[in-house]
Amino acid sequence: MLVQKHLFNTPKLDLDIGQSIRATVGYETYGQLSPARDNAILICHYFSGTSHAAGRYHPDDAEPGWWDALVGPGKAFDTNRYFVIAIDTLCNLNVRNPLVITTGPATVDLATGLPYGDQFPQVTIRDNVRLQHQLLASLGIESLVAVAGPSMGGFQALEWAVTYPHMVGKAIAAVSAPICPPVFALAYCQACMDAIVADPVNGLVRAARLMTTLARSDTWITGIWGRKTAAGSAHPWADREGRFAFQSEMETVARQRAQLFDANHFIYTARACILHDIGYGNRGIEVAAQKIQAAVLMLPVTSDLIFAPEASQSFVELIKSHGGLAEVFPIASPNGHLAAITEAGRLAEPIARFLSRGELH
């Protein structure tokens, strides 16, 4: 599929913190919206992702969108049947990428003509969901066949199911959770924030390295590099400056990724993830689970270091205990959290089956 970026502007987005902002974000669409406008599926992106979920911008693009294995004609999110839409988040990390359109600390406040900087208000996952709701309303979409996404995208999918329960038919959350787990909050989000605050330049690289490492697994890293010495380096046992290949290679990947990131946007997004809790403002997760009218599919990965598969199972059991419809389908993979992206094709069968089913058991 060849795709293009679209623009959405809202003059007023009310935030959880009690303030309002003007916001502009980019979005992409795949397939055709039906005359009844009842065939829409929203795809929400992960922490460092963008609205480029599928397709290519031009035929010679080196890489398609991040969930291209799942979105397209005849795929799990079949664009012969569904109108699929993906939207950039507020404070998107990749603000330096000209194909990403977002509003955040690095963008210009029209009231002053200057970047917002640290005057930009705190935003939440729920704020992003409200923005998405406004965008869909501008397209005349009043219901969604499904909302889906991996990791932070799953946060949004589950938030949609609670905040707009009458609109969502099905919610699909891969490698995700209804509440930000403490390990993810501390070892991922807070650790990255601390590194950036201590050193905004090199700290951003350290944050990208930590993010990339935790998204993998020991099995994956060992399988690629083992205990080889890095190219051009002394053996680590022979010289204290010596490095293993996995240290050097992950550093290279981190530096490449950090080139498109903005330090403040990273901090704001990490903060939004730490705050994620579908029970907040809903008298706790028990009540939030009861508000969900959508059928829910949780897709954990067995080797995920960030989101334990047991948490997905517990949430499914909670929904079912209140009469809701939910199921969990673990993906057995040694490739960690990132398997939901790098092995997205393995999610195709359970997603396609879930979308085609009228009832769950």
Side-chain angles (χ1 to χ4, degrees), residues 67-89:
W67 249 10
D68 190 73
L70 299 176
V71 180
K75 298 179 182 179
F77 298 108
D78 186 354
T79 51
N80 290 328
R81 298 180 58 194
Y82 303 119
F83 175 71
V84 181
I85 182 167
I87 306 169
D88 287 321
T89 55

Side-chain angles (χ1 to χ4, degrees), residues 264-330:
N264 276 332
H265 281 228
F266 201 119
I267 289 173
Y268 273 75
T269 298
R271 178 70 177 163
C273 285
I274 291 174
L275 295 174
H276 168 62
D277 178 358
I278 64 168
Y280 182 77
N282 291 306
R283 292 183 292 155
I285 192 169
E286 286 269 354
V287 176
Q290 293 176 61
K291 288 186 175 184
I292 295 173
Q293 299 176 25
V296 174
L297 174 63
M298 302 295 291
L299 293 166
V301 168
T302 55
S303 59
D304 192 347
L305 297 175
I306 302 172
F307 296 96
E310 294 80 8
S312 289
Q313 183 65 54
S314 296
F315 185 54
V316 164
E317 291 173 359
L318 175 61
I319 293 172
K320 293 171 74 172
S321 73
H322 293 293
L325 301 176
E327 68 176 31
V328 59
F329 189 97

Side-chain angles (χ1 to χ4, degrees), residues 1 30 41 43 53-55 64-79 82 84 148-150 172 174 299 339-341 343-352 355:
M1 297 183 297
Y30 321 94
I41 290 178
I43 300 290
W66 51 269
W67 249 10
D68 190 73
L70 299 176
V71 180
K75 298 179 182 179
F77 298 108
D78 186 354
T79 51
Y82 303 119
V84 181
I172 302 169
L299 293 166
I341 306 299
E343 297 180 78
R346 298 190 59 193
L347 310 182
E349 191 275 331
I351 289 175
L355 290 174

